[in-house]
Amino acid sequence: MMKKKLLNILCIVVLAAIVIIMLWGAIHKKNQAKDDFSDGLEKLEADVIYLEGSRIEVCFSDVILSNQNETRKLIVSEQEGTVSTLLTSRLIQQIDFDFMKKTQTISYTGKGYFVVDLSHLTKDDVIEDKEHKTIKILIDHAYLETVDINPDDIIIDEVKESLLARGKMKLTVAEYNEIERQLRQKLELQFNTPGNAQEADDIALKMVKELYETVIKAIDPTYQVVVGFKGK
């Protein structure tokens, strides 16, 4: 009877040992498999994932040139100026005496906008230097695109009458259009100076750098953006 009890106890111990060994083996195998497994993704930051050993390369020019159909004219500089012209009406056209003529001054205040056009960028204008980790972007020079004249900023002075020339100035539609054309041309000449163009170019370099640097650094924070002008 005693032998039978001892035999039963021995069987229970052996069985328990086998179960423990099997459970330990299963858990150890699972942990080892977890340690050995790698998906090739190395987490650098919360929002950055690096593909270790990947052959995938980002084409920076494709990123920069994407959505070329969108408007890519940047206003880089705004100038404001005022020009005027003196209208003169003579009682007798051939005689230029002050007492026989009346005058009126018309002044135009307008704004000129210098822009840089990025819609013409090509892959040749985006140069990657992998060794020095730089992306160089070549752009066109800024230029005066438009002159905006607000009708509310047109100032028409009172007519200065003389002894023999009195009353309002009478202008035909053609004459008024010609005056407007000349004043607009004066504004363009006032805005479109070498100094204003240089200022617009300087601002363009900074604005384009800021525009694309955000995109490039989102792809690779180690890259720097350099902006220059075409033909240099």
Side-chain angles (χ1 to χ4, degrees):
M1 189 73 172
M2 184 64 68
K3 287 184 179 181
K4 188 175 181 180
K5 285 184 177 181
L6 291 173
L7 184 61
N8 289 338
I9 293 172
L10 182 62
C11 288
I12 292 172
V13 170
V14 171
L15 183 61
I18 292 173
V19 171
I20 291 171
I21 292 172
M22 290 178 65
L23 287 173
W24 180 84
I27 294 172
H28 179 72
K29 184 176 181 181
K30 184 178 180 181
N31 290 337
Q32 186 177 13
K34 187 182 293 185
D35 293 338
D36 292 341
F37 175 75
S38 174
D39 58 4
L41 299 180
E42 179 186 349
K43 292 185 178 179
L44 301 178
E45 298 173 6
D47 57 350
V48 178
I49 294 179
Y50 171 71
L51 270 64
E52 184 178 3
S54 172
R55 294 183 180 179
I56 298 176
E57 292 185 2
V58 176
C59 183
F60 290 103
S61 62
D62 287 345
V63 175
I64 290 173
L65 299 176
S66 62
N67 299 323
Q68 282 293 88
N69 292 331
E70 297 179 2
T71 301
R72 287 183 175 270
K73 287 185 179 181
L74 295 181
I75 297 176
V76 296
S77 180
E78 179 182 311
Q79 304 289 332
E80 184 171 300
T82 300
V83 293
S84 61
T85 188
L86 181 65
L87 306 182
T88 302
S89 176
R90 297 186 182 95
L91 186 61
I92 301 175
Q93 198 67 23
Q94 291 78 11
I95 301 176
D96 187 18
F97 292 125
D98 289 341
F99 65 87
M100 298 183 66
K101 65 183 180 183
K102 54 188 175 182
T103 60
Q104 185 177 34
T105 300
I106 298 180
S107 301
Y108 271 28
T109 296
K111 292 182 178 179
Y113 297 95
F114 283 83
V115 304
V116 58
D117 191 350
L118 303 177
S119 63
H120 302 305
L121 286 177
T122 67
K123 287 191 174 184
D124 293 335
D125 301 322
V126 182
I127 305 165
E128 179 182 359
D129 186 338
K130 294 183 179 180
E131 180 181 356
H132 297 96
K133 294 278 187 176
T134 61
I135 300 295
K136 186 172 185 179
I137 303 172
L138 301 177
I139 62 174
D140 293 316
H141 287 276
Y143 62 93
L144 180 66
E145 183 185 52
T146 185
V147 173
D148 181 31
I149 298 174
N150 188 339
D152 295 333
D153 293 332
I154 299 175
I155 300 173
I156 302 176
D157 292 344
E158 293 291 332
V159 175
K160 291 183 179 180
E161 301 174 326
S162 64
L163 181 62
L164 299 180
R166 311 189 68 81
K168 294 182 178 180
M169 301 280 275
K170 295 180 180 180
L171 296 173
T172 65
V173 174
E175 288 173 334
Y176 184 83
N177 289 338
E178 177 60 20
I179 291 169
E180 184 179 17
R181 186 191 68 79
Q182 290 182 13
L183 288 173
R184 182 178 292 272
Q185 190 175 52
K186 281 186 177 182
L187 277 173
E188 290 177 356
L189 292 173
Q190 186 180 107
F191 296 144
N192 207 12
T193 64
N196 287 341
Q198 183 61 56
E199 179 184 352
D201 272 348
D202 293 340
I203 299 173
L205 294 176
K206 294 178 182 178
M207 288 186 64
V208 175
K209 176 181 172 66
E210 291 174 359
L211 174 67
Y212 288 120
E213 196 166 49
T214 303
V215 178
I216 297 302
K217 284 191 173 293
I219 299 171
D220 191 334
T222 64
Y223 267 77
Q224 301 296 322
V225 175
V226 178
V227 181
F229 293 109
K230 296 179 183 180
K232 289 188 176 181

